């Protein structure tokens, strides 16, 4: 049963890979009530349990099973306090725009608005200070008599989310980073369910191409680690070079990334200082006491063969990232391996943590 103080949450694309994770994470959430579920016209009109091809290891939460799936229209979602979008990018643009232009708060996993200079692109373990722009927007709208202004906040691409957390921790501790190379090994759930990765293509195989992924890792990292300009637009870092190579591997969940990087400063930290800075790293959702915030944002693993997707992706319910194999690099300064859960901190969980941060700041 919904608690009196819970916010009403809508989920767009509720039947998909990201959508199913939203259902699991929101079903027992203390701050949000699963209120409206949307998907395509193929699913609309059915109960959630009949519409979805459920692919999670946990069973479908009872609170979601009999909810009716509706079309993704502004009218259907009008009385939601927040709308989480796990929509396919082909359709997300128009649907989300209509919603935020008509007073809804949309937190999106789709790529459509990520590049907009005035739209925050937020990884909640890294750059919730970019939400200051939203706070000012709300204040300005209220001063003009608009009580509930609509807006959109974007989550990053799933592979970007894992990369930026340790990079942000290290640049906070030791100053800017000038060069980054990253090679990813990405799980098949990252490709979605419709049609998804075919078993025949991925079994006994690695696919060394994910459309658009390398570009996203490169420019998104610069926007997330960048600053807010005087006009409240986002100014991507221009002096950090990122080179990405992306691969799809036969893992269900969890993106593993091999990273090498170099600081701008000639005064380099030691390996122990790097490890300590990662362990000490704290983010705003932790400081606000958000209910899904990880106990530890970054786990530093000392075993030589960790992190591994199957063993480490669920640390702190998938909201933490794990970093291992931290060692000197022969070309840059250091190298390590980072693991993040692509549908939790890389997608649905990230959206929820952003909403919890808005709530913690009194903005929702
Ligand atoms: N998977 C990840 O790890 C990940 C991570 C970060 C970001 N993302 C992004 O998140 C979004 C969702 O990805 P996904 O992997 O969850 O995709 P997916 O499994 O293919 O799910 C797509 C969802 O969109 C719905 N949909 C399709 N056409 C629609 C329409 N015309 N109107 C309304 N709903 C429609 C589908 O509903 P039906 O079932 O009714 O067709 C389904 O619920 C994408 O933009 C993706 O790039 C994914």
């Amino acid at each position: 049963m919904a608690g009196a103080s819970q916010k009403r949450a809508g989920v767009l694309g509720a039947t998909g890979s990201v959508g199913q994770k939203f259902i699991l994470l929101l079903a027992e959430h203390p701050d949000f009530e699963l209120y409206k579920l949307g998907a395509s016209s193929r699913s609309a009109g059915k109960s959630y349990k009949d519409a979805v091809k459920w692919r999670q290891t946990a069973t479908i939460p009872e609170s979601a099973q009999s909810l009716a799936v509706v079309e993704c229209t502004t009218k259907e979602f009008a009385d939601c306090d927040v709308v989480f979008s796990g929509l396919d990018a082909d359709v997300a643009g128009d649907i989300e725009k209509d919603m935020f232009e008509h007073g809804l708060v949309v937190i999106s996993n789709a790529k459509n608005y990520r590049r907009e200079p005035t739209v925050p692109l937020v990884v909640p373990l890294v750059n919730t200070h970019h939400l200051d722009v939203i706070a000012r927007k709300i204040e300005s709208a209220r001063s003009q008599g608009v009580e509930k202004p609509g807006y959109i906040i974007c989550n990053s691409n799933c592979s970007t989310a894992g990369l930026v957390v340790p990079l942000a921790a290290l640049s906070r501790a030791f100053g800017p980073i000038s060069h980054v190379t990253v090679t990813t090994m990405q799980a098949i759930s990252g490709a979605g369910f419709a049609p998804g990765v075919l078993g025949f293509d991925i079994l006994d195989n690695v696919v060394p191409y994910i459309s658009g992924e390398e570009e996203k890792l490169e420019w998104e990292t610069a926007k997330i680690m960048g600053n807010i300009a005087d006009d409240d637009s986002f100014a991507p870092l221009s002096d950090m070079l990122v080179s990405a190579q992306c691969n799809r591997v036969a893992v269900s969940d969890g993106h593993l990334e091999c990273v090498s990087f170099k600081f701008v400063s000639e005064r380099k930290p030691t390996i122990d200082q790097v490890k300590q800075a990662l362990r000490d790293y704290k983010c705003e959702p932790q400081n606000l006491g958000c209910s899904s915030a990880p106990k530890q944002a970054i786990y530093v693993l000392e075993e030589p063969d960790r992190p591994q997707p199957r063993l480490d992706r669920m640390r702190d319910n998938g909201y933490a990232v794990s970093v291992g194999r931290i060692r000197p690099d022969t070309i840059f300064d250091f190298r390590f391996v980072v693991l993040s859960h692509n549908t939790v901190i890389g997608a649905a969980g990230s959206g929820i943590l952003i909403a919890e941060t808005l709530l913690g700041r009194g903005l929702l």
Side-chain angles (χ1 to χ4, degrees), residues 12-20 38-44 51-53 55 69-72 85-92 95 108-112 114 155-159 187-196 216 248 253 255 341-344 346-348:
L12 307 174
T15 50
S17 171
V18 173
Q20 292 184 23
S40 76
S41 51
R42 297 177 290 278
S43 308
V52 71
K53 187 162 177 16
R55 288 183 167 100
V69 177
V70 298
E71 301 252 10
C72 296
S85 172
L87 282 175
D88 204 86
D90 290 347
V91 298
I95 294 172
S108 176
N109 282 277
K111 66 180 178 189
N112 307 60
R114 286 182 193 154
N155 282 357
S156 76
N157 185 47
C158 41
S159 53
I188 52 180
S189 61
F193 293 158
K216 280 186 229 164
R248 186 75 68 197
D253 291 312
H255 291 350
H341 195 303
N342 55 295
T343 59
V344 185

Side-chain angles (χ1 to χ4, degrees), residues 249-263:
V249 298
V251 164
S252 59
D253 291 312
H255 291 350
L256 200 69
E257 306 180 19
C258 297
V259 182
S260 294
F261 66 96
K262 181 173 162 38
F263 290 106

Side-chain angles (χ1 to χ4, degrees), residues 29-361:
H29 200 286
D31 306 321
F32 301 106
E33 171 202 356
L34 260 185
Y35 183 71
K36 270 280 157 85
L37 307 184
S40 76
S41 51
R42 297 177 290 278
S43 308
K46 298 178 183 165
S47 69
Y48 185 68
K49 101 175 135 36
D50 291 337
V52 71
K53 187 162 177 16
W54 188 253
R55 288 183 167 100
Q56 310 299 315
T57 47
T59 52
I60 308 179
E62 243 177 73
S63 56
Q65 289 195 17
S66 55
L67 277 181
V69 177
V70 298
E71 301 252 10
C72 296
T73 63
T74 302
K75 199 168 163 218
E76 289 284 6
F77 286 78
D79 50 358
C80 289
D81 296 304
V82 57
V83 177
F84 297 104
S85 172
L87 282 175
D88 204 86
D90 290 347
V91 298
D94 290 344
I95 294 172
E96 293 174 353
K97 184 167 194 263
D98 197 67
M99 291 191 174
F100 68 76
E101 283 186 349
H102 289 90
L104 285 168
V105 174
V106 179
I107 302 182
S108 176
N109 282 277
K111 66 180 178 189
N112 307 60
Y113 296 102
R114 286 182 193 154
R115 265 194 127 119
E116 286 294 315
T118 54
V119 172
L121 176 62
V122 176
V123 172
L125 305 188
V126 172
N127 64 326
T128 47
H129 59 285
H130 284 187
L131 298 175
D132 296 354
V133 168
I134 294 292
R136 287 193 280 275
K137 243 184 212 169
I138 294 173
E139 203 180 293
S140 147
R142 285 189 181 151
S143 71
Q144 292 164 41
V146 182
E147 197 39 46
K148 289 190 86 183
Y151 54 86
I152 185 165
I153 298 166
C154 290
N155 282 357
S156 76
N157 185 47
C158 41
S159 53
T160 312
L163 176 67
V164 291
V165 179
L167 291 185
L170 294 173
S171 63
R172 189 193 282 178
F174 307 114
I177 289 168
S178 60
H179 295 77
V180 180
T181 64
V182 52
T183 301
T184 70
M185 283 152 274
Q186 299 185 214
I188 52 180
S189 61
F193 293 158
V197 180
L198 296 180
F200 190 79
D201 291 335
I202 199 70
L203 198 65
D204 185 30
N205 209 6
V206 172
V207 181
Y209 174 68
I210 303 176
S211 173
E213 196 80 356
E214 293 168 352
E215 296 77 5
K216 280 186 229 164
L217 254 166
E218 291 168 4
W219 75 259
E220 286 184 7
T221 300
K223 181 169 178 180
I224 292 161
M225 292 180 66
N227 300 311
I228 302 173
D230 290 343
D231 63 355
D232 266 356
S233 66
F234 295 97
L237 286 184
S238 55
D239 46 4
M240 183 176 67
L241 292 173
V242 182
S243 166
Q245 302 193 63
C246 295
N247 304 284
R248 186 75 68 197
V249 298
V251 164
S252 59
D253 291 312
H255 291 350
L256 200 69
E257 306 180 19
C258 297
V259 182
S260 294
F261 66 96
K262 181 173 162 38
F263 290 106
V264 169
S265 169
E266 283 307 312
R267 290 186 54 214
K268 311 296 178 193
T270 64
I271 295 268
D272 284 342
Q273 287 171 326
V274 165
K275 289 180 180 174
Q276 200 53 46
L278 294 173
R279 286 192 182 102
D280 289 346
Y281 181 70
K282 287 257 181 307
C283 57
E284 185 183 0
Q286 291 175 300
N287 297 334
L288 287 172
C290 293
S291 43
S292 306
K295 287 195 289 292
Q296 175 95 22
I298 302 172
Y299 283 87
V300 174
L301 308 183
E302 296 289 359
E303 300 90 329
D305 59 353
R306 302 283 277 276
Q308 295 179 19
R310 188 153 48 82
L311 303 182
D312 298 306
R313 63 192 168 208
M314 286 310 288
R315 278 175 195 273
D316 293 356
N317 295 322
Y319 283 91
V321 305
S322 300
V323 179
R325 306 209 63 222
I326 302 170
R327 59 212 191 280
D329 188 67
T330 46
I331 298 174
F332 295 155
D333 291 337
F334 297 99
R335 53 189 146 172
F336 57 64
V337 179
V338 58
L339 172 75
S340 57
H341 195 303
N342 55 295
T343 59
V344 185
I345 197 57
S350 175
I352 291 169
L353 213 41
I354 290 169
E356 289 176 13
T357 305
L358 293 173
L359 207 54
R361 286 187 182 205

